[in-house]
Amino acid sequence: MKYCSNFKYDLEVGQAAEKEVGDMLANQKIEVKLDKMAKRTGNLYIEYESRGKPSGVSRSEAEHYCFVVGNLKLFIPTERLKELIEPLKGTKFDKRGGDNNTSKGVLLKLTDVLTVI
């Protein structure tokens, strides 16, 4: 965004962003995930399968995911998240997890997510 020192312009831009976030929170399905380890590891774990069946992001009906990492709330469209994890399936980033390691998911670096959204 181009720098502008005009308060009225800045206010309009800020109010437009506030409305966009307000509309998203009020009118869309959002899946909220608290990732306690991400702050320490720098990775998000994105589940896509459990007990041999699609789960997590693969079955989500949410338009957006919200990852809570410490005080950070990171919103990402679900379809974009699916695009990010697809090439990581079957690689070293594909990990078992969940209850008794019955789930599959991929590790996404927080820094990578921040640069592509």
Side-chain angles (χ1 to χ4, degrees), residues 37-116:
M37 302 227 358
K39 188 173 180 180
R40 183 173 52 83
T41 66
N43 296 311
L44 295 169
Y45 182 76
I46 316 299
E47 181 184 310
Y48 66 87
E49 183 180 299
S50 183
R51 296 176 175 85
K53 297 180 183 174
S55 67
V57 72
S58 298
R59 297 206 23 121
S60 180
E61 296 179 8
E63 285 98 353
H64 287 84
Y65 262 61
C66 174
F67 294 98
V68 179
V69 181
N71 292 327
L72 176 70
K73 279 73 172 177
L74 177 65
F75 288 85
I76 184 169
T78 303
E79 289 305 313
R80 183 66 178 124
L81 185 60
K82 289 178 182 180
E83 291 170 2
L84 290 174
I85 71 163
E86 194 59 38
L88 298 175
K89 291 179 181 177
T91 71
K92 67 179 182 177
F93 300 102
D94 197 335
K95 303 288 182 185
R96 292 232 169 236
D99 299 330
N100 298 316
N101 286 331
T102 57
S103 296
K104 288 184 179 181
V106 297
L107 296 176
L108 278 180
K109 291 182 180 180
L110 274 170
T111 54
D112 290 346
V113 175
L114 290 171
T115 60
V116 296

